Every structure is written in C-alpha cells, then in structure tokens.
Amino acid sequence: IGIETRPELVERSTTLARQLQFTQMKFLNLSVEESITSSLLPEKIDMVTALHACNTATDDAIKFGLAKQAKYMVLVPCCQAEVASFLRKNKPAQLSDPISELWRHPLHTREFGSQLTNVLRCLQLQAHGYQVTVTELVGWEHSMKNELILAEHKGPPKADAIERLEAILERLGLDALRERFFYKS
C-alpha cells in the first residue's frame, strides 16, 4: 500500500512472491485512504512499517495504523518539508518570540522542522496510547535520515501527550496542522 498507486510494481511483486512461494504475501494497488476502508484488508492489523517514507508518507502510515488499530508501528521517516514550510510562512509573526531563533535561518528551519515533525508524530502516537521509543536505524555515517520510531500500543489515550501536542502547535503557530496530528481513529 502506498501513497501513489503503481500497478506494475504490484504485478511484479505478486509474481516474485509467487516464484518464491510466499503464499501468504499479497500486494494491493490502493492508496492509503482507500486502504483504510477497503474490504480487502482486515479491520485490525498487527504491524505497520514505513521505511524512508518521504514528507507526509510517514503521517499517512500513522493514520493507517491508527485506523486499523495496529499493535506495533515501525517508522523510518525521511524528508519532512511540510512543518518547515509552515515555520517559514509564519516566521514574521513568530520572530518576536525568542524561541523562533531555533528556525531563523533557512538551514535551521529545515532541520528544526524535521525534528519537530517527528516530535509531533511521537506525541500523536502517545496520545493514542502507544509507548514510543526513538533511536537510530543505522550509524550516522550511512544516512543522515536515520531516525527509527518504534511504537507499541499499550493502553488508553494519554491526555498529557494531547496537551503537549496542542501546546506546541499553538506556541509555534502551527494550528493549520492540527488535523494532521490529531487523527481520530
């Protein structure tokens, strides 16, 4: 399942799985939105993985996992540009706050936006009752996009995570992103 549907990849993958006798492996040509409601998938799933899921693809994987009540999520985000673009857009209004020095310069905007995106993702997962661990996937010498987010569903939603997430969005002028990080399953 991916953001962009690619029928030829689904066909090649299906052929390869058949050749390797992976009889339990299936590939579907569905968007994330379609996969959430498709009768081709079970209502609940065990695990969601996203490897180097660029920009908002990690968020789509999280949305899918929340909708399907995944027990585990293993996420390796890649390029995160959306939050940085909102930081850039709102920079003039934020410059009176000394905290905005964290993203005053373009390079810092990009890097802070990337870091902030993953912090918001972790808070979103915690808000939905997941225990979250963040670590490296491989050594930094192999990849600068190296963050591994491990999430295991452990219980009820966490009100304190919701409060912190809301406070960060409000403080940094990112209210327009509220829907992305407050997906209701």
Side-chain angles (χ1 to χ4, degrees):
I1 297 170
I3 291 177
E4 294 180 36
T5 57
R6 305 268 311 267
E8 69 279 1
L9 291 179
V10 170
E11 190 173 316
R12 278 198 322 235
S13 299
T14 300
T15 300
L16 182 60
R18 190 173 33 252
Q19 289 170 350
L20 296 172
Q21 299 178 0
F22 293 159
T23 58
Q24 299 281 314
M25 190 174 280
K26 294 180 181 155
F27 298 90
L28 303 173
N29 187 24
L30 300 172
S31 68
V32 173
E33 284 300 322
E34 293 168 332
S35 69
I36 290 172
T37 58
S38 174
S39 62
L40 298 171
L41 292 163
E43 284 187 38
K44 291 185 178 186
I45 59 168
D46 294 323
M47 182 182 290
V48 169
T49 62
L51 179 59
H52 286 277
C54 283
N55 202 9
T56 60
T58 299
D59 302 309
D60 293 333
I62 292 170
K63 181 178 180 179
F64 174 78
L66 294 175
K68 293 293 185 176
Q69 302 170 39
K71 177 74 174 160
Y72 302 97
M73 293 196 217
V74 180
L75 310 164
V76 180
C78 192
C79 316
Q80 299 101 334
E82 185 184 38
V83 170
S85 72
F86 277 90
L87 289 171
R88 259 190 301 285
K89 184 175 117 183
N90 297 334
K91 196 180 291 190
Q94 293 289 323
L95 286 177
S96 62
D97 186 344
I99 200 79
S100 69
E101 292 300 324
L102 291 171
W103 69 91
R104 175 184 286 271
H105 303 286
L107 175 66
H108 294 156
T109 303
R110 186 186 74 214
E111 294 304 314
F112 180 66
S114 178
Q115 180 75 15
L116 180 57
T117 300
N118 289 335
V119 167
L120 293 171
R121 289 169 173 157
C122 291
L123 285 169
Q124 178 186 30
L125 289 165
Q126 291 170 339
H128 282 86
Y130 285 83
Q131 179 181 320
V132 176
T133 302
V134 180
T135 188
E136 293 179 335
L137 176 65
V138 295
W140 289 106
E141 66 275 11
H142 300 293
S143 175
M144 291 301 291
K145 297 297 182 185
N146 191 30
E147 196 163 327
L148 172 62
I149 301 171
L150 303 167
E152 180 180 2
H153 193 264
K154 290 285 197 173
K158 307 270 189 301
D160 60 329
I162 295 170
E163 290 169 9
R164 289 193 310 272
L165 191 126
E166 287 178 336
I168 290 170
L169 292 173
E170 184 178 329
R171 169 87 186 259
L172 301 180
L174 299 173
D175 291 320
L177 296 174
R178 186 171 304 280
E179 188 176 314
R180 174 167 293 290
F181 294 105
F182 277 96
Y183 175 74
K184 300 291 184 199
S185 54

